[in-house]
């Protein structure tokens, strides 16, 4: 579990009743909000994504830091760090 | 303990995590990497549309929220945090404070095949350690947060109703046209290129691809303002002001989506569309006129699609 969730104090949140009331108003329960299955986004892998702010969008700058993987799923590689 | 207070809505927890964790993290993360990580952003937008919205008013515990919803992006958050950690060390620690760096490495990292790695369970702790050392933690958000007291007295107020229903309509419109744009960009391979990091530095992007970045930014701003309003709901006015800002970003996203796709489908010569270009200028800042503009843009776009069939 992410720390942020553990640390939530429910007393600091607006009440469930009010929150429910607001949430009910913004959602149409007859509408299908899903994104089609084909479009599932892969997990972010170890890349510094080549994406840009809109104003710089016509020249995409690719930082291109390739990393290899460790096999264990509970270990995360820290790119950009070597010495 | 009051059992009722152990639960809150899926929407509320999502907004809380966005404001207190994801947005501040992302703000620091893009400052270090100098670019937005759009795969990360898209995952969160997808989580919001696919999972959060349809269940927005369900009451759940923190644990359930974590297991059923947040866990879907946990892997991604951890990967981004590992990258963030590396960048933070590279720019602020490595050559500046050797003794802290050496201790930090000893405590949290390990090295194999010339790569540094960190165990899943140590990532959060390592970031807190480093951020405390550099004084860049998220605590300032809490400090700036006004006390939420007695807000339930506003519960009976229906002053939000109209705005929230408007938001309801605009999210559906956004979703509808976002899917069309995404389909196009999947088909032309652009999104795959983003996710797989295979865009070359010399690649030019077309209008539709550019549009994609623009509307993702707008949607991100919508989420930020809406969540801010919900989480810092200290007065009705404060909530309404954030709500207005969020709706305005969402409308902007819908308008840009429609505009972009009308151009892409070679329908920008249509007289109805030319008139809308003029209407757009005369509608600046006028919420009702902008809604009318969106409806008319939708009509032009529908006509355009029929014409192209």
């Amino acid at each position: 579990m992410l720390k942020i969730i553990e640390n939530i104090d429910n007393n600091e949140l607006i009440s469930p009743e009010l929150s429910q009331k607001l949430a009910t108003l913004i959602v149409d329960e007859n509408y299908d909000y899903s994104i089609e299955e084909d479009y599932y986004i892969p997990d972010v892998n170890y890349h510094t994504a080549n994406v840009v702010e809109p104003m710089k969008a016509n020249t995409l700058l690719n930082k291109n830091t390739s990393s290899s993987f460790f096999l264990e799923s509970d270990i995360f590689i820290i790119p950009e760090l070597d010495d | 303990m009051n059992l009722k207070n152990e639960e809150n809505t899926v929407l509320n927890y999502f907004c809380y995590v966005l404001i207190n964790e994801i947005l501040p993290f992302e703000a620091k993360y893009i400052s270090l990497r100098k670019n937005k990580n759009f795969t990360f952003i898209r995952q969160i937008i997808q989580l919001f549309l696919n999972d959060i919205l349809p269940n927005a008013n369900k009451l759940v515990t923190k644990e359930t929220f974590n297991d059923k919803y947040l866990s879907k992006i946990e892997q991604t958050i951890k990967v981004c945090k590992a990258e963030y950690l590396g960048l933070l060390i590279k720019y602020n620690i490595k050559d500046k404070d050797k003794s802290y760096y050496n201790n930090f490495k000893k405590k949290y990292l390990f090295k194999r095949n010339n790569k540094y790695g960190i165990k899943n369970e140590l990532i959060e702790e390592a970031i807190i350690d480093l951020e405390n050392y550099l004084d860049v933690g998220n605590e300032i958000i809490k400090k700036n947060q006004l006390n939420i007291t007695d807000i339930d007295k506003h519960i009976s107020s229906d002053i939000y109703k109209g705005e929230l229903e408007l938001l309801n309509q605009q999210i559906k419109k956004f979703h509808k046209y976002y899917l069309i744009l995404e389909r196009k960009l999947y088909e032309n391979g652009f999104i795959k290129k983003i996710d797989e990091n295979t865009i070359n530095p010399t690649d030019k992007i077309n209008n539709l691809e550019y549009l994609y970045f623009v509307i993702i930014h707008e949607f991100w701003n919508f989420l930020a303002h809406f969540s801010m309003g919900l989480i810092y709901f200290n007065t009705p006015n404060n909530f309404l002001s954030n709500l207005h800002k969020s709706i305005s970003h969402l409308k902007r996203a819908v308008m840009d989506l429609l505009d972009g796709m009308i151009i892409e489908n070679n329908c920008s010569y249509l007289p109805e569309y030319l008139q809308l270009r003029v209407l757009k200028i005369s509608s600046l800042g006028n919420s009702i006129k902008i809604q009318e503009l969106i409806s008319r843009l939708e009509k032009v776009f529908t006509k355009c699609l029929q014409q192209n069939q």
Side-chain angles (χ1 to χ4, degrees):
Chain A
M1 189 192 283
L2 285 175
K3 266 226 155 37
I4 187 74
I5 290 285
E6 279 173 39
N7 293 341
I8 293 181
D9 176 356
N10 275 323
N11 295 315
E12 286 181 30
L13 298 176
I14 64 171
S15 69
E17 291 81 1
L18 178 56
S19 167
Q20 245 185 334
K21 194 178 165 190
L22 299 177
T24 307
L25 284 167
I26 68 162
V27 179
D28 180 347
E29 44 180 62
N30 298 315
Y31 185 84
D32 176 11
Y33 292 94
S34 59
I35 306 261
E36 288 169 53
E37 196 121 331
D38 291 358
Y39 300 166
Y40 260 91
I41 303 164
D43 281 338
V44 173
N45 281 323
Y46 294 95
H47 64 66
T48 42
N50 33 58
V51 281
V52 287
E53 297 159 55
M55 50 271 240
K56 293 184 192 158
N58 58 354
T59 48
L60 286 162
L61 301 166
N62 191 354
K63 287 173 80 190
N64 214 2
T65 50
S66 57
S67 306
S68 57
F69 288 83
F70 293 149
L71 290 173
E72 300 93 321
S73 63
D74 68 331
I75 289 173
F76 292 83
I77 296 181
I78 300 184
E80 304 250 5
L81 204 63
D82 42 52
D83 58 11
Chain B
M1 190 195 268
N2 182 354
L3 188 67
K4 232 170 56 177
N5 278 346
E6 285 178 7
E7 293 189 330
N8 213 308
T9 59
V10 169
L11 182 70
N12 216 359
Y13 284 133
F14 174 79
C15 291
Y16 184 91
V17 172
L18 200 73
I19 289 297
N20 289 287
E21 174 82 8
I22 293 173
L23 288 174
F25 166 70
E26 203 250 351
K28 289 177 281 189
Y29 177 52
I30 60 172
S31 296
L32 289 171
R33 79 206 297 277
K34 301 191 181 74
N35 284 317
K36 243 176 163 50
N37 182 337
F38 273 90
T39 307
F40 174 64
I41 304 286
R42 284 190 329 106
Q43 278 216 349
I44 290 162
I45 293 177
Q46 188 177 61
L47 178 76
F48 179 74
L49 293 171
N50 260 347
D51 303 285
I52 304 297
L53 268 187
N55 302 296
N57 63 3
K58 279 199 183 127
L59 290 176
V60 292
T61 60
K62 295 195 285 193
E63 289 73 20
T64 308
F65 177 74
N66 183 72
D67 298 346
K68 275 185 81 174
Y69 304 96
L70 201 63
S71 62
K72 296 193 175 181
I73 54 166
E74 192 169 347
Q75 176 79 9
T76 289
I77 291 176
K78 290 282 171 67
V79 170
C80 294
K81 284 192 166 181
E83 187 192 345
Y84 170 70
L85 209 50
L87 291 166
L88 207 51
I89 293 169
K90 181 178 155 189
Y91 292 125
N92 286 300
I93 299 291
K94 207 173 142 193
D95 302 319
K96 291 180 180 159
D97 190 335
K98 283 273 173 222
S99 85
Y100 178 84
Y101 181 42
N102 287 332
N103 283 334
F104 187 89
K105 278 197 291 193
K106 226 180 275 169
K107 203 168 163 191
Y108 301 109
L109 311 184
F110 67 87
K111 198 172 186 180
R112 199 187 301 161
N113 310 331
N114 259 344
K115 299 271 176 205
Y116 279 102
I118 185 165
K119 288 199 158 181
N120 183 10
E121 66 265 25
L122 289 177
I123 291 180
E124 301 260 355
E125 197 188 323
I127 287 183
I128 291 170
D129 193 328
L130 200 49
E131 288 191 335
N132 282 344
Y133 179 75
L134 295 169
D135 197 18
V136 292
N138 299 344
E139 292 76 20
I140 197 163
I141 292 196
K142 288 257 177 198
K143 276 183 209 155
N144 286 346
Q145 183 177 2
L146 299 163
N147 280 331
I148 300 177
T149 50
D150 211 16
I151 48 172
D152 282 9
K153 69 184 172 198
H154 306 301
I155 198 169
S156 63
S157 172
D158 275 333
I159 52 173
Y160 330 109
K161 204 168 171 237
E163 304 299 318
L164 291 167
E165 279 165 358
L166 184 58
L167 191 65
N168 180 325
Q169 294 304 320
Q170 296 300 325
I171 293 176
K172 285 190 283 185
K173 284 187 205 279
F174 174 84
H175 176 261
K176 181 176 168 191
Y177 299 117
Y178 178 72
L179 282 189
I180 298 175
L181 177 65
E182 265 217 329
R183 182 191 303 273
K184 279 209 156 234
L185 296 181
Y186 263 94
E187 281 166 6
N188 82 5
F190 182 68
I191 286 178
K192 197 161 182 269
K193 278 183 169 179
I194 293 179
D195 287 340
E196 292 178 359
N197 193 26
T198 51
I199 295 178
N200 294 316
T202 49
D203 284 352
K204 297 271 191 229
I205 62 170
N206 68 31
N207 282 336
L208 222 48
E209 292 161 354
Y210 175 82
L211 175 70
Y212 191 68
F213 290 131
V214 172
I215 61 118
I216 283 198
H217 270 282
E218 292 294 348
F219 195 77
W220 195 242
N221 284 329
F222 147 69
L223 278 181
H225 278 292
F226 179 76
S227 304
M228 199 69 173
L230 200 62
I231 296 307
Y232 294 173
F233 194 146
N234 39 34
T235 66
N237 275 346
N238 193 313
F239 177 63
L240 274 177
S241 133
N242 269 308
L243 191 56
H244 285 150
K245 283 180 197 140
S246 79
I247 292 172
S248 133
H249 282 293
L250 199 54
K251 282 184 189 161
R252 181 83 225 182
V254 175
M255 263 198 299
D256 286 344
L257 271 170
L258 286 163
D259 251 340
M261 288 191 295
I262 287 169
I263 295 168
E264 181 66 20
N265 283 286
N266 294 322
C267 292
S268 56
Y269 65 88
L270 289 172
E272 300 95 307
Y273 183 70
L274 294 177
Q275 196 196 36
L276 291 185
R277 299 298 295 173
V278 179
L279 186 65
K280 193 171 179 179
I281 293 163
S282 72
S283 307
L284 286 173
N286 184 323
S287 169
I288 291 170
K289 281 192 181 166
I290 287 174
Q291 268 155 251
E292 189 199 326
L293 182 64
I294 290 175
S295 310
R296 289 174 66 176
L297 277 169
E298 285 186 281
K299 278 185 197 137
V300 175
F301 182 54
T302 311
K303 181 179 172 186
C304 174
L305 289 181
Q306 285 162 355
Q307 203 171 281
N308 285 351
Q309 265 171 7

